[in-house]
Short mmCIF file of all heavy atoms in Angstrom, two decimals:
data_model
loop_
_atom_site.label_atom_id
_atom_site.label_comp_id
_atom_site.label_asym_id
_atom_site.label_seq_id
_atom_site.Cartn_x
_atom_site.Cartn_y
_atom_site.Cartn_z
N MET A 66 70.33 -98.91 10.65
CA MET A 66 70.00 -98.66 9.33
C MET A 66 68.72 -99.58 9.02
O MET A 66 68.80 -100.80 9.36
CB MET A 66 71.09 -98.97 8.38
CG MET A 66 70.78 -98.95 6.97
SD MET A 66 72.04 -99.13 5.78
CE MET A 66 73.21 -97.88 6.21
N PRO A 67 67.67 -98.95 8.60
CA PRO A 67 66.52 -99.82 8.32
C PRO A 67 66.63 -100.76 7.26
O PRO A 67 67.33 -100.51 6.21
CB PRO A 67 65.35 -98.86 8.03
CG PRO A 67 66.05 -97.51 7.88
CD PRO A 67 67.38 -97.63 8.31
N ARG A 68 66.00 -101.93 7.29
CA ARG A 68 66.13 -102.90 6.24
C ARG A 68 65.17 -102.69 5.28
O ARG A 68 64.01 -102.12 5.39
CB ARG A 68 65.84 -104.28 6.88
CG ARG A 68 65.91 -105.40 5.92
CD ARG A 68 65.83 -106.68 6.64
NE ARG A 68 64.63 -106.82 7.37
CZ ARG A 68 64.02 -107.93 7.71
NH1 ARG A 68 64.49 -109.17 7.28
NH2 ARG A 68 62.88 -108.06 8.29
N SER A 69 65.50 -102.81 3.98
CA SER A 69 64.66 -102.52 2.79
C SER A 69 63.52 -103.64 2.77
O SER A 69 63.93 -104.87 2.83
CB SER A 69 65.49 -102.53 1.53
OG SER A 69 64.71 -102.61 0.37
N PRO A 70 62.36 -103.31 2.59
CA PRO A 70 61.20 -104.39 2.42
C PRO A 70 61.43 -105.16 1.21
O PRO A 70 60.79 -106.24 1.08
CB PRO A 70 59.94 -103.48 2.50
CG PRO A 70 60.37 -102.21 2.11
CD PRO A 70 61.76 -102.00 2.55
N ALA A 71 62.26 -104.67 0.20
CA ALA A 71 62.34 -105.31 -1.01
C ALA A 71 63.16 -106.58 -1.14
O ALA A 71 63.12 -107.38 -2.02
CB ALA A 71 62.71 -104.31 -2.01
N ARG A 72 64.01 -106.79 -0.07
CA ARG A 72 64.87 -107.99 -0.06
C ARG A 72 65.22 -108.37 1.33
O ARG A 72 64.95 -107.68 2.28
CB ARG A 72 66.18 -107.59 -0.78
CG ARG A 72 67.08 -106.55 -0.18
CD ARG A 72 68.34 -106.41 -1.01
NE ARG A 72 69.12 -105.33 -0.52
CZ ARG A 72 69.91 -105.35 0.63
NH1 ARG A 72 69.97 -106.58 1.32
NH2 ARG A 72 70.64 -104.49 1.02
N GLU A 73 65.63 -109.63 1.41
CA GLU A 73 66.07 -110.24 2.82
C GLU A 73 67.43 -109.56 3.16
O GLU A 73 68.25 -109.19 2.43
CB GLU A 73 66.28 -111.74 2.57
CG GLU A 73 65.02 -112.40 2.36
CD GLU A 73 64.09 -112.50 3.52
OE1 GLU A 73 64.53 -112.70 4.63
OE2 GLU A 73 62.94 -112.20 3.33
N THR A 74 67.62 -109.64 4.58
CA THR A 74 68.79 -109.12 5.11
C THR A 74 69.93 -110.17 4.80
O THR A 74 69.73 -111.37 4.88
CB THR A 74 68.80 -109.01 6.65
OG1 THR A 74 67.76 -108.04 6.89
CG2 THR A 74 69.98 -108.56 7.34
N THR A 75 71.02 -109.76 4.31
CA THR A 75 72.20 -110.74 3.97
C THR A 75 73.33 -110.55 4.87
O THR A 75 73.43 -109.58 5.68
CB THR A 75 72.77 -110.27 2.51
OG1 THR A 75 73.43 -109.08 2.67
CG2 THR A 75 71.60 -110.27 1.49
N ARG A 76 74.22 -111.33 4.79
CA ARG A 76 75.41 -111.34 5.55
C ARG A 76 76.28 -110.06 5.50
O ARG A 76 77.00 -109.54 6.30
CB ARG A 76 76.36 -112.68 5.37
CG ARG A 76 76.89 -112.80 4.09
CD ARG A 76 77.52 -114.03 3.88
NE ARG A 76 77.90 -114.42 2.60
CZ ARG A 76 78.80 -115.30 2.24
NH1 ARG A 76 79.37 -116.11 3.22
NH2 ARG A 76 79.01 -115.47 1.06
N TYR A 77 76.20 -109.57 4.15
CA TYR A 77 76.89 -108.28 3.81
C TYR A 77 76.19 -107.10 4.62
O TYR A 77 76.85 -106.20 5.04
CB TYR A 77 76.77 -107.99 2.35
CG TYR A 77 77.55 -109.22 1.71
CD1 TYR A 77 76.86 -110.05 0.89
CD2 TYR A 77 78.90 -109.41 1.86
CE1 TYR A 77 77.52 -111.19 0.23
CE2 TYR A 77 79.54 -110.52 1.20
CZ TYR A 77 78.77 -111.34 0.48
OH TYR A 77 79.43 -112.35 -0.13
N ASP A 78 74.90 -107.12 4.66
CA ASP A 78 74.20 -106.13 5.47
C ASP A 78 74.59 -106.22 6.92
O ASP A 78 74.97 -105.20 7.63
CB ASP A 78 72.59 -106.35 5.51
CG ASP A 78 72.06 -106.11 4.11
OD1 ASP A 78 72.53 -105.23 3.30
OD2 ASP A 78 71.17 -106.97 3.70
N LEU A 79 74.63 -107.31 7.53
CA LEU A 79 75.08 -107.60 8.92
C LEU A 79 76.40 -107.13 9.13
O LEU A 79 76.71 -106.50 10.15
CB LEU A 79 74.92 -109.17 9.31
CG LEU A 79 73.40 -109.53 9.21
CD1 LEU A 79 73.36 -111.09 9.48
CD2 LEU A 79 72.61 -108.91 10.18
N TYR A 80 77.44 -107.47 8.26
CA TYR A 80 78.82 -107.11 8.36
C TYR A 80 78.86 -105.59 8.40
O TYR A 80 79.44 -104.94 9.25
CB TYR A 80 79.63 -107.51 7.17
CG TYR A 80 80.99 -107.13 7.27
CD1 TYR A 80 81.88 -107.75 8.15
CD2 TYR A 80 81.45 -106.08 6.56
CE1 TYR A 80 83.32 -107.40 8.25
CE2 TYR A 80 82.78 -105.62 6.62
CZ TYR A 80 83.72 -106.39 7.44
OH TYR A 80 84.95 -105.93 7.54
N ARG A 81 78.15 -104.96 7.36
CA ARG A 81 78.16 -103.40 7.43
C ARG A 81 77.66 -102.86 8.67
O ARG A 81 78.14 -101.79 9.33
CB ARG A 81 77.42 -102.92 6.22
CG ARG A 81 77.63 -101.48 5.85
CD ARG A 81 76.93 -100.95 4.59
NE ARG A 81 75.45 -100.99 4.84
CZ ARG A 81 74.58 -101.73 4.15
NH1 ARG A 81 75.05 -102.68 3.30
NH2 ARG A 81 73.27 -101.71 4.43
N TRP A 82 76.50 -103.40 9.14
CA TRP A 82 75.90 -102.78 10.39
C TRP A 82 76.75 -103.06 11.68
O TRP A 82 76.69 -102.22 12.57
CB TRP A 82 74.43 -103.46 10.53
CG TRP A 82 73.58 -103.06 9.38
CD1 TRP A 82 73.56 -101.87 8.54
CD2 TRP A 82 72.40 -103.74 9.02
NE1 TRP A 82 72.62 -101.91 7.61
CE2 TRP A 82 71.85 -103.12 7.92
CE3 TRP A 82 71.85 -104.94 9.45
CZ2 TRP A 82 70.70 -103.44 7.34
CZ3 TRP A 82 70.62 -105.42 8.86
CH2 TRP A 82 70.03 -104.62 7.74
N CYS A 83 77.46 -104.23 11.71
CA CYS A 83 78.06 -104.54 12.97
C CYS A 83 79.49 -104.27 12.95
O CYS A 83 80.11 -104.10 14.04
CB CYS A 83 77.88 -106.15 13.20
SG CYS A 83 76.15 -106.59 13.34
N VAL A 84 80.24 -104.23 11.82
CA VAL A 84 81.69 -104.01 11.79
C VAL A 84 82.10 -102.74 11.16
O VAL A 84 83.02 -102.08 11.77
CB VAL A 84 82.35 -105.28 11.01
CG1 VAL A 84 83.81 -105.11 10.99
CG2 VAL A 84 81.94 -106.61 11.71
N GLN A 85 81.44 -102.24 10.23
CA GLN A 85 81.79 -101.15 9.46
C GLN A 85 81.06 -99.92 10.04
O GLN A 85 79.84 -100.01 10.25
CB GLN A 85 81.76 -101.16 8.09
CG GLN A 85 82.61 -102.16 7.31
CD GLN A 85 82.41 -102.09 5.76
OE1 GLN A 85 81.38 -101.83 5.29
NE2 GLN A 85 83.57 -102.21 5.11
N ASP A 86 81.78 -98.88 10.05
CA ASP A 86 81.10 -97.62 10.53
C ASP A 86 81.67 -96.47 9.47
O ASP A 86 82.55 -95.85 9.80
CB ASP A 86 81.30 -97.06 11.92
CG ASP A 86 80.61 -95.90 12.29
OD1 ASP A 86 80.02 -95.19 11.34
OD2 ASP A 86 80.52 -95.50 13.46
N ALA A 87 81.22 -96.62 8.28
CA ALA A 87 81.74 -95.81 7.20
C ALA A 87 81.78 -94.31 7.45
O ALA A 87 82.89 -93.76 7.14
CB ALA A 87 80.98 -96.28 5.82
N PRO A 88 80.73 -93.77 7.96
CA PRO A 88 80.85 -92.28 8.21
C PRO A 88 81.88 -92.01 9.25
O PRO A 88 82.72 -90.96 9.08
CB PRO A 88 79.55 -91.95 8.78
CG PRO A 88 78.52 -92.97 8.24
CD PRO A 88 79.37 -94.20 8.13
N ALA A 89 82.14 -92.83 10.23
CA ALA A 89 83.15 -92.53 11.24
C ALA A 89 84.46 -92.79 10.56
O ALA A 89 85.38 -92.07 10.94
CB ALA A 89 82.95 -93.42 12.38
N MET A 90 84.68 -93.76 9.92
CA MET A 90 85.93 -94.16 9.28
C MET A 90 86.43 -93.06 8.30
O MET A 90 87.60 -92.59 8.26
CB MET A 90 85.85 -95.42 8.47
CG MET A 90 87.16 -95.73 7.85
SD MET A 90 88.67 -95.89 8.93
CE MET A 90 88.38 -97.59 9.61
N CYS A 91 85.47 -92.55 7.56
CA CYS A 91 85.75 -91.42 6.59
C CYS A 91 86.16 -90.16 7.36
O CYS A 91 87.10 -89.40 6.96
CB CYS A 91 84.52 -91.10 5.71
SG CYS A 91 84.30 -92.41 4.41
N ARG A 92 85.57 -89.81 8.35
CA ARG A 92 85.79 -88.74 9.20
C ARG A 92 87.25 -88.87 9.69
O ARG A 92 88.12 -87.91 9.78
CB ARG A 92 84.78 -88.42 10.43
CG ARG A 92 83.60 -87.84 9.94
CD ARG A 92 82.72 -87.39 11.08
NE ARG A 92 82.50 -88.36 12.08
CZ ARG A 92 81.56 -89.31 12.13
NH1 ARG A 92 80.64 -89.40 11.18
NH2 ARG A 92 81.47 -90.15 13.10
N PHE A 93 87.63 -90.09 10.22
CA PHE A 93 88.84 -90.47 10.89
C PHE A 93 89.98 -90.28 9.69
O PHE A 93 91.02 -89.65 9.96
CB PHE A 93 88.89 -91.78 11.37
CG PHE A 93 90.27 -92.22 11.67
CD1 PHE A 93 91.00 -91.80 12.75
CD2 PHE A 93 91.04 -93.16 10.75
CE1 PHE A 93 92.22 -92.16 13.00
CE2 PHE A 93 92.29 -93.51 11.10
CZ PHE A 93 92.94 -93.09 12.20
N LEU A 94 89.78 -90.73 8.52
CA LEU A 94 90.76 -90.83 7.43
C LEU A 94 91.07 -89.31 7.09
O LEU A 94 92.14 -88.92 6.82
CB LEU A 94 90.19 -91.60 6.26
CG LEU A 94 90.32 -93.15 6.47
CD1 LEU A 94 89.51 -93.88 5.38
CD2 LEU A 94 91.74 -93.65 6.67
N ALA A 95 89.90 -88.51 6.89
CA ALA A 95 90.07 -87.18 6.55
C ALA A 95 90.86 -86.33 7.61
O ALA A 95 91.72 -85.61 7.25
CB ALA A 95 88.70 -86.45 6.21
N ALA A 96 90.50 -86.59 8.85
CA ALA A 96 91.26 -85.96 9.90
C ALA A 96 92.73 -86.36 10.11
O ALA A 96 93.50 -85.53 10.18
CB ALA A 96 90.55 -86.13 11.24
N ALA A 97 92.91 -87.67 9.92
CA ALA A 97 94.22 -88.10 10.08
C ALA A 97 95.28 -87.73 9.05
O ALA A 97 96.53 -87.69 9.13
CB ALA A 97 94.25 -89.77 10.14
N HIS A 98 94.68 -87.36 7.82
CA HIS A 98 95.48 -86.98 6.72
C HIS A 98 95.24 -85.54 6.47
O HIS A 98 95.67 -84.95 5.27
CB HIS A 98 95.26 -87.86 5.42
CG HIS A 98 95.65 -89.22 5.71
ND1 HIS A 98 96.93 -89.73 5.70
CD2 HIS A 98 94.84 -90.39 5.99
CE1 HIS A 98 96.91 -90.99 5.83
NE2 HIS A 98 95.70 -91.41 6.12
N GLY A 99 94.89 -84.74 7.38
CA GLY A 99 94.74 -83.25 7.25
C GLY A 99 93.76 -82.87 6.14
O GLY A 99 93.86 -81.79 5.55
N GLY A 100 92.85 -83.68 5.72
CA GLY A 100 91.78 -83.26 4.71
C GLY A 100 92.31 -83.27 3.29
O GLY A 100 91.62 -82.87 2.34
N ARG A 101 93.56 -83.64 3.18
CA ARG A 101 94.29 -83.52 1.82
C ARG A 101 93.80 -84.64 0.87
O ARG A 101 93.56 -84.28 -0.33
CB ARG A 101 95.79 -83.57 1.94
CG ARG A 101 96.29 -82.31 2.47
CD ARG A 101 97.82 -82.28 2.48
NE ARG A 101 98.40 -83.43 3.12
CZ ARG A 101 98.65 -83.50 4.48
NH1 ARG A 101 98.49 -82.50 5.30
NH2 ARG A 101 99.25 -84.56 5.00
N PRO A 102 93.71 -85.81 1.26
CA PRO A 102 93.33 -86.90 0.29
C PRO A 102 91.96 -86.72 -0.25
O PRO A 102 91.04 -86.37 0.51
CB PRO A 102 93.50 -88.25 1.01
CG PRO A 102 93.39 -87.92 2.40
CD PRO A 102 93.82 -86.47 2.59
N ARG A 103 91.77 -86.94 -1.54
CA ARG A 103 90.47 -86.81 -2.22
C ARG A 103 90.00 -88.08 -2.81
O ARG A 103 88.85 -88.24 -3.10
CB ARG A 103 90.41 -85.68 -3.28
CG ARG A 103 90.70 -84.27 -2.75
CD ARG A 103 89.54 -83.82 -1.84
NE ARG A 103 89.75 -82.50 -1.48
CZ ARG A 103 88.98 -81.79 -0.59
NH1 ARG A 103 87.91 -82.50 -0.17
NH2 ARG A 103 89.19 -80.73 -0.32
N LEU A 104 90.97 -88.99 -3.00
CA LEU A 104 90.67 -90.33 -3.63
C LEU A 104 90.91 -91.35 -2.69
O LEU A 104 91.92 -91.46 -1.94
CB LEU A 104 91.65 -90.53 -4.91
CG LEU A 104 91.57 -91.91 -5.48
CD1 LEU A 104 90.17 -92.20 -6.02
CD2 LEU A 104 92.63 -92.04 -6.53
N LEU A 105 89.85 -92.22 -2.44
CA LEU A 105 90.02 -93.33 -1.65
C LEU A 105 89.97 -94.53 -2.37
O LEU A 105 89.14 -94.79 -3.32
CB LEU A 105 88.82 -93.53 -0.57
CG LEU A 105 88.74 -94.59 0.26
CD1 LEU A 105 89.16 -94.28 1.70
CD2 LEU A 105 87.56 -95.47 0.26
N ARG A 106 90.95 -95.47 -2.15
CA ARG A 106 91.07 -96.73 -2.85
C ARG A 106 90.80 -97.78 -1.87
O ARG A 106 91.51 -97.93 -0.90
CB ARG A 106 92.42 -96.88 -3.56
CG ARG A 106 92.58 -95.76 -4.77
CD ARG A 106 94.02 -96.02 -5.25
NE ARG A 106 94.98 -95.53 -4.31
CZ ARG A 106 96.23 -95.33 -4.54
NH1 ARG A 106 96.55 -95.20 -5.83
NH2 ARG A 106 97.04 -94.89 -3.64
N GLU A 107 89.81 -98.72 -2.23
CA GLU A 107 89.52 -99.71 -1.26
C GLU A 107 89.57 -101.03 -1.87
O GLU A 107 88.93 -101.26 -2.96
CB GLU A 107 87.98 -99.41 -0.71
CG GLU A 107 87.47 -100.59 0.19
CD GLU A 107 85.93 -100.26 0.56
OE1 GLU A 107 85.43 -99.45 0.03
OE2 GLU A 107 85.50 -101.01 1.56
N ASP A 108 90.46 -102.08 -1.42
CA ASP A 108 90.31 -103.29 -1.94
C ASP A 108 89.60 -104.31 -1.00
O ASP A 108 89.28 -103.88 0.08
CB ASP A 108 91.84 -103.86 -2.17
CG ASP A 108 92.73 -103.78 -0.86
OD1 ASP A 108 92.23 -103.36 0.16
OD2 ASP A 108 93.68 -104.32 -0.91
N PHE A 109 89.20 -105.39 -1.48
CA PHE A 109 88.24 -106.27 -0.82
C PHE A 109 87.08 -105.55 -0.51
O PHE A 109 86.50 -105.63 0.67
CB PHE A 109 89.01 -106.87 0.48
CG PHE A 109 90.24 -107.75 -0.06
CD1 PHE A 109 91.51 -107.12 0.21
CD2 PHE A 109 90.27 -108.99 -0.43
CE1 PHE A 109 92.61 -107.95 -0.17
CE2 PHE A 109 91.32 -109.70 -0.92
CZ PHE A 109 92.54 -109.09 -0.66
N ALA A 110 86.53 -104.69 -1.33
CA ALA A 110 85.67 -103.79 -1.06
C ALA A 110 84.26 -104.29 -0.88
O ALA A 110 83.43 -103.59 -0.25
CB ALA A 110 85.37 -102.86 -2.28
N GLY A 111 83.95 -105.50 -1.32
CA GLY A 111 82.56 -106.12 -1.15
C GLY A 111 81.56 -105.18 -1.74
O GLY A 111 81.72 -104.68 -2.85
N PRO A 112 80.52 -104.81 -0.90
CA PRO A 112 79.54 -103.89 -1.51
C PRO A 112 80.04 -102.40 -1.61
O PRO A 112 79.16 -101.57 -1.88
CB PRO A 112 78.25 -104.13 -0.70
CG PRO A 112 78.79 -104.69 0.72
CD PRO A 112 80.10 -105.44 0.21
N ALA A 113 81.25 -102.10 -1.23
CA ALA A 113 81.87 -100.77 -1.33
C ALA A 113 81.23 -99.72 -0.59
O ALA A 113 81.12 -98.65 -0.95
CB ALA A 113 81.82 -100.37 -2.80
N GLY A 114 80.73 -100.06 0.74
CA GLY A 114 80.21 -99.07 1.55
C GLY A 114 81.10 -97.98 1.93
O GLY A 114 80.64 -96.71 1.91
N LEU A 115 82.33 -98.20 2.22
CA LEU A 115 83.26 -97.12 2.57
C LEU A 115 83.58 -96.29 1.36
O LEU A 115 83.68 -95.09 1.57
CB LEU A 115 84.58 -97.77 3.07
CG LEU A 115 85.66 -96.81 3.60
CD1 LEU A 115 85.16 -96.06 4.76
CD2 LEU A 115 86.96 -97.61 3.90
N ALA A 116 83.75 -96.94 0.19
CA ALA A 116 83.97 -96.06 -0.96
C ALA A 116 82.72 -95.22 -1.26
O ALA A 116 83.00 -94.04 -1.71
CB ALA A 116 84.29 -97.05 -2.10
N ALA A 117 81.66 -95.69 -1.19
CA ALA A 117 80.43 -94.89 -1.49
C ALA A 117 80.30 -93.62 -0.46
O ALA A 117 80.04 -92.59 -0.78
CB ALA A 117 79.22 -95.74 -1.36
N GLU A 118 80.59 -93.96 0.86
CA GLU A 118 80.49 -92.94 1.81
C GLU A 118 81.49 -91.87 1.57
O GLU A 118 81.22 -90.71 1.65
CB GLU A 118 80.67 -93.52 3.22
CG GLU A 118 80.66 -92.52 4.36
CD GLU A 118 79.28 -91.90 4.57
OE1 GLU A 118 78.30 -92.63 4.27
OE2 GLU A 118 79.20 -90.75 5.05
N TRP A 119 82.65 -92.22 1.20
CA TRP A 119 83.79 -91.27 0.83
C TRP A 119 83.39 -90.34 -0.26
O TRP A 119 83.56 -89.20 -0.22
CB TRP A 119 85.13 -92.03 0.63
CG TRP A 119 86.23 -91.05 0.35
CD1 TRP A 119 86.68 -90.86 -0.91
CD2 TRP A 119 87.09 -90.42 1.40
NE1 TRP A 119 87.93 -89.85 -0.66
CE2 TRP A 119 88.03 -89.73 0.65
CE3 TRP A 119 87.15 -90.54 2.73
CZ2 TRP A 119 89.03 -88.96 1.36
CZ3 TRP A 119 88.13 -89.75 3.35
CH2 TRP A 119 89.02 -89.03 2.60
N ALA A 120 83.04 -91.01 -1.27
CA ALA A 120 82.57 -90.26 -2.51
C ALA A 120 81.45 -89.32 -2.20
O ALA A 120 81.25 -88.21 -2.83
CB ALA A 120 82.17 -91.11 -3.69
N SER A 121 80.60 -89.63 -1.26
CA SER A 121 79.50 -88.69 -0.83
C SER A 121 79.84 -87.46 -0.03
O SER A 121 79.10 -86.66 0.19
CB SER A 121 78.43 -89.54 -0.18
OG SER A 121 78.75 -89.74 1.13
N LEU A 122 81.09 -87.49 0.44
CA LEU A 122 81.53 -86.40 1.21
C LEU A 122 81.47 -84.97 0.64
O LEU A 122 81.06 -83.91 1.28
CB LEU A 122 82.95 -86.51 1.94
CG LEU A 122 83.13 -87.69 2.87
CD1 LEU A 122 84.50 -87.84 3.19
CD2 LEU A 122 82.20 -87.44 4.03
N SER A 123 81.89 -84.91 -0.63
CA SER A 123 81.75 -83.73 -1.41
C SER A 123 82.05 -84.00 -2.96
O SER A 123 82.42 -85.14 -3.27
CB SER A 123 82.88 -82.69 -1.05
OG SER A 123 84.19 -83.09 -1.53
N SER A 124 81.76 -82.94 -3.77
CA SER A 124 81.95 -83.27 -5.26
C SER A 124 83.43 -83.48 -5.47
O SER A 124 83.78 -84.04 -6.56
CB SER A 124 81.35 -82.07 -6.00
OG SER A 124 82.09 -80.89 -5.68
N GLY A 125 84.32 -83.05 -4.65
CA GLY A 125 85.77 -83.29 -4.86
C GLY A 125 86.26 -84.62 -4.42
O GLY A 125 87.49 -84.86 -4.68
N HIS A 126 85.50 -85.41 -3.79
CA HIS A 126 85.91 -86.79 -3.31
C HIS A 126 85.53 -87.74 -4.41
O HIS A 126 84.46 -87.69 -4.79
CB HIS A 126 85.37 -87.06 -1.96
CG HIS A 126 85.90 -86.34 -0.84
ND1 HIS A 126 85.56 -85.05 -0.56
CD2 HIS A 126 86.78 -86.74 0.08
CE1 HIS A 126 86.34 -84.71 0.48
NE2 HIS A 126 87.06 -85.76 0.90
N SER A 127 86.33 -88.73 -4.53
CA SER A 127 86.11 -89.86 -5.44
C SER A 127 86.70 -91.12 -4.85
O SER A 127 87.45 -91.05 -3.86
CB SER A 127 86.67 -89.61 -6.70
OG SER A 127 88.06 -89.51 -6.83
N SER A 128 86.27 -92.28 -5.27
CA SER A 128 86.68 -93.44 -4.80
C SER A 128 86.88 -94.55 -5.86
O SER A 128 86.06 -94.40 -6.88
CB SER A 128 85.79 -93.97 -3.65
OG SER A 128 84.54 -94.22 -3.98
N LEU A 129 87.66 -95.59 -5.57
CA LEU A 129 87.83 -96.74 -6.44
C LEU A 129 87.75 -97.86 -5.56
O LEU A 129 88.60 -98.13 -4.64
CB LEU A 129 89.19 -96.63 -7.15
CG LEU A 129 89.52 -97.87 -8.11
CD1 LEU A 129 88.49 -97.97 -9.25
CD2 LEU A 129 90.88 -97.75 -8.49
N ALA A 130 86.64 -98.68 -5.72
CA ALA A 130 86.47 -99.96 -4.91
C ALA A 130 86.81 -101.13 -5.78
O ALA A 130 86.15 -101.29 -6.91
CB ALA A 130 85.12 -100.02 -4.31
N VAL A 131 87.53 -102.11 -5.33
CA VAL A 131 87.86 -103.34 -6.12
C VAL A 131 87.66 -104.56 -5.32
O VAL A 131 87.94 -104.60 -4.14
CB VAL A 131 89.36 -103.31 -6.58
CG1 VAL A 131 89.77 -104.49 -7.29
CG2 VAL A 131 89.57 -102.04 -7.35
N ASP A 132 86.98 -105.54 -5.90
CA ASP A 132 86.81 -106.79 -5.23
C ASP A 132 86.70 -107.79 -6.32
O ASP A 132 86.02 -107.61 -7.40
CB ASP A 132 85.54 -106.77 -4.32
CG ASP A 132 85.58 -108.00 -3.35
OD1 ASP A 132 85.87 -109.09 -3.82
OD2 ASP A 132 85.26 -107.76 -2.18
N ILE A 133 87.30 -108.98 -6.19
CA ILE A 133 87.28 -110.02 -7.34
C ILE A 133 86.20 -111.12 -7.08
O ILE A 133 85.87 -111.85 -7.93
CB ILE A 133 88.57 -110.72 -7.50
CG1 ILE A 133 89.14 -111.42 -6.31
CG2 ILE A 133 89.65 -109.64 -8.07
CD1 ILE A 133 90.26 -112.29 -6.53
N ASP A 134 85.49 -110.96 -6.00
CA ASP A 134 84.42 -112.04 -5.60
C ASP A 134 83.11 -111.42 -6.21
O ASP A 134 82.68 -110.42 -5.76
CB ASP A 134 84.39 -112.17 -4.17
CG ASP A 134 83.54 -113.23 -3.68
OD1 ASP A 134 82.64 -113.66 -4.47
OD2 ASP A 134 83.68 -113.69 -2.50
N ARG A 135 82.46 -112.14 -7.06
CA ARG A 135 81.37 -111.75 -7.63
C ARG A 135 80.07 -111.59 -6.71
O ARG A 135 79.24 -110.75 -6.88
CB ARG A 135 80.99 -112.58 -8.80
CG ARG A 135 81.79 -112.65 -9.90
CD ARG A 135 81.62 -113.63 -11.00
NE ARG A 135 82.53 -113.74 -12.01
CZ ARG A 135 82.37 -113.15 -13.20
NH1 ARG A 135 81.35 -112.46 -13.57
NH2 ARG A 135 83.32 -113.29 -14.01
N GLU A 136 79.96 -112.37 -5.72
CA GLU A 136 78.91 -112.46 -4.68
C GLU A 136 78.75 -111.09 -3.94
O GLU A 136 77.64 -110.49 -4.09
CB GLU A 136 78.96 -113.49 -3.74
CG GLU A 136 77.71 -113.54 -2.93
CD GLU A 136 77.87 -114.72 -1.90
OE1 GLU A 136 78.67 -115.65 -2.09
OE2 GLU A 136 77.19 -114.71 -0.87
N PRO A 137 79.82 -110.64 -3.34
CA PRO A 137 79.62 -109.21 -2.70
C PRO A 137 79.47 -108.11 -3.68
O PRO A 137 78.81 -107.08 -3.39
CB PRO A 137 80.88 -109.02 -1.80
CG PRO A 137 81.81 -109.98 -2.40
CD PRO A 137 81.14 -111.16 -2.96
N LEU A 138 80.08 -108.27 -4.90
CA LEU A 138 79.87 -107.14 -5.86
C LEU A 138 78.46 -107.08 -6.36
O LEU A 138 77.94 -105.93 -6.63
CB LEU A 138 80.75 -107.52 -7.08
CG LEU A 138 82.27 -107.17 -6.73
CD1 LEU A 138 83.12 -107.58 -8.03
CD2 LEU A 138 82.54 -105.73 -6.47
N ALA A 139 77.80 -108.26 -6.52
CA ALA A 139 76.37 -108.28 -6.94
C ALA A 139 75.54 -107.69 -5.89
O ALA A 139 74.48 -107.08 -6.19
CB ALA A 139 76.01 -109.66 -7.21
N HIS A 140 75.82 -107.88 -4.58
CA HIS A 140 75.13 -107.29 -3.51
C HIS A 140 75.03 -105.80 -3.55
O HIS A 140 73.96 -105.29 -3.37
CB HIS A 140 75.60 -107.80 -2.11
CG HIS A 140 74.86 -107.17 -0.96
ND1 HIS A 140 73.61 -107.57 -0.63
CD2 HIS A 140 75.26 -106.25 -0.13
CE1 HIS A 140 73.24 -106.93 0.41
NE2 HIS A 140 74.20 -106.10 0.81
#
């Protein structure tokens, strides 16, 4: 994923790039549950990459991302 020239790379960017693979995880979750779930709930969501990817799958998908730490939420 290309870095935005408007800001510095953060540890949250690095985590998302190195640890999370939101598109693959969403495909896995949909397949593992037979495509039935439409709502994804993510706790300790940080910048909510997984929740955003899930909601982008279709107009019928939605997500709720929760984190109590202000720093990753601001990111």
Side-chain angles (χ1 to χ4, degrees):
M66 178 177 296
R68 183 170 56 153
S69 167
R72 66 177 175 78
E73 292 291 317
T74 300
T75 68
R76 62 184 171 169
Y77 302 108
D78 296 322
L79 296 173
Y80 178 80
R81 190 177 72 244
W82 297 336
C83 296
V84 177
Q85 290 186 328
D86 185 347
M90 179 60 81
C91 288
R92 287 191 307 271
F93 168 77
L94 291 171
H98 296 284
R101 288 184 306 268
R103 296 293 187 184
L104 171 65
L105 176 110
R106 294 177 294 197
E107 180 182 11
D108 58 351
F109 303 99
L115 183 61
E118 180 69 27
W119 182 262
S121 75
L122 291 178
S123 78
S124 61
H126 284 81
S127 60
S128 58
L129 174 65
V131 177
D132 199 312
I133 61 172
D134 190 343
R135 291 177 190 258
E136 184 181 340
L138 288 172
H140 177 73

